[in-house]
Amino acid sequence: MRSKSVESMIRVDHAGEYAAVCIYHGQGVVFSRTRDADKIQEMQEHERVHFRYFNNLILQRRVRPTLFLPVWHVAGVALGYVTAMMGKKAAMACTAAVEEVICDHYSNQVAQLDDSERDLSDKILQFCAEEREHMETAISCGAEE
Amino acid sequence: MYRTAAKRLLSSTTVVKSSDARFRLRNLQTIVTSTGICTSANPQSISNQNPNNQNQIPRTKPNQSDSTASSSPTSSSSSRPTSFTADEARRRHHHHHDERRIPRVKYQDEQARVLHASLCHVMKLGWSEEAMIAGARDAGVSPAIVGSFPRKDAALVEFFMDECLQKLIDRIDSGEELQNLAPSTPSNIPTSFKQRAILLDEIWHTAGDEGSDINWYVKRTVVGGIYSTTEIYMLTDSSPDFRDTWSFLDDRVKDAFDFKKTIQEAQYLAEAVGAGMGNSLQGFVKRVFQG
């Protein structure tokens, strides 16, 4: 297992979870007084946990974090905010789409990891399952409207 | 792992403040620039002291081993030197002592031996192919091997710098009293971007950096600036024991932490540039409308 590609995986995942937190933040701002606020908060908390995990990996393994973090911050919050302003359905559609992409991405990564990174691949699988839950929550929420 | 070594070095500091980070950073900087990285004047010591550990082929970055035993740092920005006992620290870094390697160009055994031997000739023959040919002869290898190096002259220089960097890392690992190393004139350790990046990462890591966002880049850029200016200063310094350089270094580090002053200087610079541009624009416009 080339350590360089593990490093870049960690970097990408770190950025991805950071962006996810930002997206939920943007959506949460718009929905802050509605019933969905709780759900969004909960999902954001999951993403935060994921982010903290990758953050720790970055520090432990001395991986270089991505230079574009500020860009993802702005883009994420903007995306969340705009889709939320477009309405609940749009927001949920956005969430579902993002989570689906993330889940695919995680599955690809796990396929690339070998046995030397057992812990990492287990964690990623777990995160993948949680993201899939988010996706299903979003779909069911959007479908109810 | 470096944090433990650095903490051992600075075991007297238990106060946690930004001044602590400053102290550690300064200390680290003196460590780096004063390290016994000798020029070609003293390559024997390098080739003699590293007979075993440099020639292994797979040079994986030991991030895996680091993650298992090193304490997992939180992402809080104030790095607190937790109370490691000296024993625990010693145990930890001995465990990792053999595993810390920088990512280097891989050389086969023979090539590495030739490079080692060539270092001794650099003083007379310069960083050139002649030195490598002489080195090959010393190592008992046919001089034709010189042709097989991917980048010839650059290979020798790169090898030397990698050795210096590795030696520095080993020194940090073993937690020696780095202040008392016997330096001859220090050489420019990293002139290539990648090695510089590694060096800056080392410096910050030993000083206990825990940022993982844009600060990561900002800090390394700042330290890079401090390092280059200090290095250049050191080349023209003739005071005993490089005392002037250390005080220069102290001032630079203080500058870095003194944000207000930095911002003000940036403002002055911006104003000066703006005034200059304004004047030149004015002159240009005048000329256009006259001519």
Side-chain angles (χ1 to χ4, degrees), chain A:
Chain A
M1 183 80 238
R2 283 185 44 81
S3 60
K4 254 196 172 1
S5 65
V6 174
E7 275 186 24
S8 90
M9 264 188 219
I10 294 177
R11 190 176 310 129
V12 166
D13 291 344
H14 181 246
E17 296 297 346
Y18 185 77
V21 172
C22 292
I23 293 179
Y24 282 128
H25 176 77
Q27 290 186 339
V29 162
V30 175
F31 290 138
S32 58
R33 271 177 257 268
T34 69
R35 289 169 303 160
D36 304 306
D38 292 335
K39 226 166 282 167
I40 293 183
Q41 276 286 64
E42 189 189 326
M43 298 202 282
Q44 189 183 21
E45 193 48 47
H46 290 167
E47 304 291 359
R48 271 214 196 92
V49 167
H50 298 178
F51 174 72
R52 259 180 248 134
Y53 173 74
F54 287 116
N55 205 32
N56 278 337
L57 276 188
I58 288 218
L59 293 174
Q60 278 174 13
R61 300 191 187 205
R62 299 183 56 177
V63 175
R64 176 179 64 86
T66 169
L67 182 56
F68 295 113
L69 276 178
V71 174
W72 302 141
H73 186 112
V74 171
V77 175
L79 179 65
Y81 191 77
V82 163
T83 51
M85 290 297 270
M86 281 163 54
K88 185 179 168 190
K89 240 190 171 160
M92 291 305 164
C94 162
T95 304
V98 167
E99 299 292 4
E100 187 177 347
V101 167
I102 291 184
C103 209
D104 276 344
H105 172 77
Y106 277 161
S107 321
N108 286 341
Q109 284 193 339
V110 168
Q112 285 177 35
L113 288 175
D114 65 7
D115 280 339
S116 62
E117 295 283 354
R118 192 22 72 73
D119 288 337
L120 178 60
S121 62
D122 285 345
K123 269 287 177 174
I124 291 183
L125 275 176
Q126 178 197 330
F127 293 168
C128 187
E130 286 173 12
E131 305 289 2
R132 197 169 291 126
E133 269 178 37
H134 291 181
M135 180 176 81
E136 281 154 16
T137 309
I139 290 178
S140 67
C141 258
E144 275 162 18
E145 283 288 301

